[in-house]
Each structure stands twice: as structure tokens, then as C-alpha cells.
Amino acid sequence: MHYYPYHYPIYPPLPVYPPQLVVQTFPRSYPPVDVKIFEKSVKSFRLLMEQGSILLDRLGDSDFARKMMTAAQQGKTANVDHLISSIGLKVPVTTKFTPTGIDFELFTQPNPNTPGSCCTLKVFMKWGN
């Protein structure tokens, strides 16, 4: 029997993974940029911002805020939705509330050309601990 006096292996260990082949990459070609849809989204979002400003102005009225918070505290979702719809916003609004805050989601109405809503404005406001 032959004894190898060194602590190193006779042969180097084989790599666990085979060496990677060098793949030549070619520069990507992108289609030309079309900003028409983006411009429409910007215009739609401006409307959402205006409607959000109207919503915030109305929520700034302490009597309105008290009515809405009281209805939310009692779990009267229909009353909260009715109060929000009484503001007269031109865009649909969904409202969700918790004991700590209220969440408004304003979104654009879909067109015949675009079946889905292009833009959404979410507003979350804290009203409790």
C-alpha cells in the first residue's frame, strides 16, 4: 500500500458546475416610442387630481368630516358612500375605512377605445391611533 504524505489531494477537484460558455450578445433593437397613450394618461390623471382636490376640500369641512367619521365608526358603509357621492365628483370613488383611517380610490372611467381604467389615484388619511 502506498501512503501519500501530503494533506493535499493528488488531483485537483472537479468543478461542481461545468464552465460557462461565452455567449455573444447583440444589442437589442427597441420599437420607436409612442407617447400618445401616455399623454392621454397624463390628461386623465390631471382630472383625477382636480377631483381629488375637490374631495379634500369637502373633507376639510369639520361638519362633513364629523358626519362621515360617525357613520364610519358605526359601520354604516352605505351612509359613508352616500356622503361621498353627495360631493358630486365626476369620477367613480371607492371608499374603505378602518378604525385608524380611510382610503379613497379615484379612477378614470373606461372609454370604448380603452376598456380598462388608465389611471388610479389612491388617498389614505389617518384619523385614529
Side-chain angles (χ1 to χ4, degrees):
M1 180 165 161
H2 179 56
Y3 175 72
Y4 188 68
Y6 303 106
H7 297 287
Y8 300 105
I10 299 174
Y11 302 107
L14 295 174
V16 177
Y17 299 105
Q20 298 293 324
L21 298 176
V22 177
V23 178
Q24 185 177 7
T25 59
F26 297 100
R28 293 184 179 187
S29 60
Y30 296 103
V33 175
D34 183 15
V35 295
K36 291 177 185 174
I37 295 173
F38 188 66
E39 288 173 347
K40 288 179 183 178
S41 295
V42 168
K43 289 178 184 176
S44 296
F45 200 78
R46 286 182 196 264
L47 173 66
L48 289 179
M49 293 291 288
E50 291 170 4
Q51 296 298 301
S53 180
I54 293 169
L55 174 68
L56 292 176
D57 288 343
R58 186 69 173 125
L59 292 172
D61 179 23
S62 60
D63 291 334
F64 184 83
R66 185 173 287 109
K67 288 177 188 177
M68 188 185 65
M69 289 178 70
T70 303
Q73 185 179 17
Q74 295 171 358
K76 297 179 180 178
T77 307
N79 288 0
V80 173
D81 291 339
H82 177 69
L83 285 169
I84 297 302
S85 65
S86 73
I87 296 173
L89 299 177
K90 298 176 184 175
V91 295
V93 180
T94 58
T95 307
K96 298 175 188 168
F97 50 87
T98 64
T100 58
I102 189 161
D103 185 16
F104 298 103
E105 186 173 348
L106 290 79
F107 50 93
T108 57
Q109 295 176 345
N111 301 349
N113 300 337
T114 56
S117 174
C118 80
C119 310
T120 303
L121 175 64
K122 290 187 176 187
V123 179
F124 177 78
M125 292 185 292
K126 188 174 179 178
W127 64 20
N129 291 328

